[in-house]
Amino acid sequence: ADGYYEYTMFECVYSTSDYSDMVYLLSYSFNKVVDVQFNSTVGKFVGYTVEGVKYAENWNKDPAILQQSKAQVDRFCRHNAQIWDSSVRDKA
């Protein structure tokens, strides 16, 4: 079928129980190719395609977007990891 496939993916990656190594990843993809990604460890957007580089440059110039993206590791990742992990531990 003809058409385009665009999607956004949020990931929280960690391996320690105290979440000290928690990383928030936000990826924007088009037709299965990652165009641009935010990594909380890097602290900025990185473009992987011609279009992605343009998006990354614009988003990295905006302090509000960067601040909001950096805060996601605490607001979204750590918060939800504590909820998910406690529900799994309580069932074990």
Side-chain angles (χ1 to χ4, degrees):
D2 293 335
Y4 300 104
Y5 185 64
E6 183 176 22
Y7 63 98
T8 304
M9 184 167 61
F10 304 87
E11 294 180 86
C12 300
V13 181
Y14 62 99
S15 61
T16 60
S17 60
D18 67 353
Y19 313 122
S20 61
D21 63 341
M22 181 78 68
V23 178
Y24 170 73
L25 301 170
L26 168 61
S27 303
Y28 293 94
S29 300
F30 183 75
N31 286 349
K32 300 182 183 179
V33 175
V34 177
D35 284 325
V36 65
Q37 182 180 64
F38 177 83
N39 180 322
S40 63
T41 303
V42 176
K44 66 179 184 176
F45 289 89
V46 176
Y48 297 104
T49 64
V50 173
E51 295 83 8
V53 169
K54 292 176 187 176
Y55 288 129
E57 287 174 354
N58 287 329
W59 293 337
N60 288 332
K61 290 178 188 174
D62 188 331
I65 291 174
L66 282 179
Q67 182 180 11
Q68 181 181 11
S69 299
K70 289 175 184 177
Q72 292 291 64
V73 73
D74 290 318
R75 191 184 70 77
F76 178 74
C77 290
R78 284 194 179 96
H79 171 74
N80 286 314
Q82 290 169 347
I83 294 168
W84 297 327
D85 287 354
S86 67
S87 68
V88 169
R89 281 191 298 269
D90 292 345
K91 303 255 189 276

